[in-house]
Amino acid sequence: MGEYSIIIATTWTVLEIIGNWLLFRKAGKKGWHSIIPILNLYDEYDICWKGYKGIVCLIMVYLLSAFAGADDVVLVVIAAVAGIWYLSLTFRQSIKLARAFGKGTGYGIFLFIFDRLGRIVLGLGRAEYVGKPL
């Protein structure tokens, strides 16, 4: 059973890499940027957002979430607010990514819930990059 799990996990990971690579290529970015951790966030926000407000918000949320393990109540509340803000930003990002590839809000919700699968479908499917959504 263990070897099948490794084969399935490896296949899934390869599909994710290929899907994200093709998704970036469709948007006019270099495909290899999709596998570099910080660079992929930067380019994805460039694909979906006008300006870089989104990436600045994401960096702030990551910094604030560092307080999540704190014992101080104020820091825990800050971390909770940052977590809610992050979920909200991720939801908006999913909608914007779907619209950037000519899909609707329903597909954006699908991307929010099943992010990896949705990206594979966008990358390997017939979706074309139509530009940054409003």
Side-chain angles (χ1 to χ4, degrees), residues 23-29 43-51 93-104 122 127-134:
L23 184 128
F24 273 54
R25 293 289 309 263
K26 286 180 179 183
K29 303 293 179 187
D43 275 353
E44 185 174 323
Y45 276 92
D46 186 42
I47 290 168
C48 298
W49 299 82
K50 293 186 182 201
Q93 170 69 15
S94 298
I95 301 295
K96 286 184 172 284
L97 185 61
R99 289 187 179 155
F101 283 90
K103 303 291 185 183
L122 278 179
E128 295 292 326
Y129 183 67
V130 295
K132 296 178 187 180
L134 298 174

Side-chain angles (χ1 to χ4, degrees), residues 40-41 44-45 49 54-66 77-95 111-112 115-116 119:
N40 66 3
L41 284 176
E44 185 174 323
Y45 276 92
W49 299 82
I55 194 73
V56 171
C57 290
L58 183 66
I59 290 169
M60 289 175 56
V61 167
Y62 276 135
L63 293 175
L64 290 174
S65 66
V77 169
I78 290 172
V81 169
I84 292 167
W85 188 17
Y86 175 75
L87 279 175
S88 147
L89 187 63
T90 304
F91 183 76
R92 288 177 47 208
Q93 170 69 15
S94 298
I95 301 295
L111 268 171
F112 179 71
D115 181 57
R116 294 176 175 179
R119 289 168 180 275

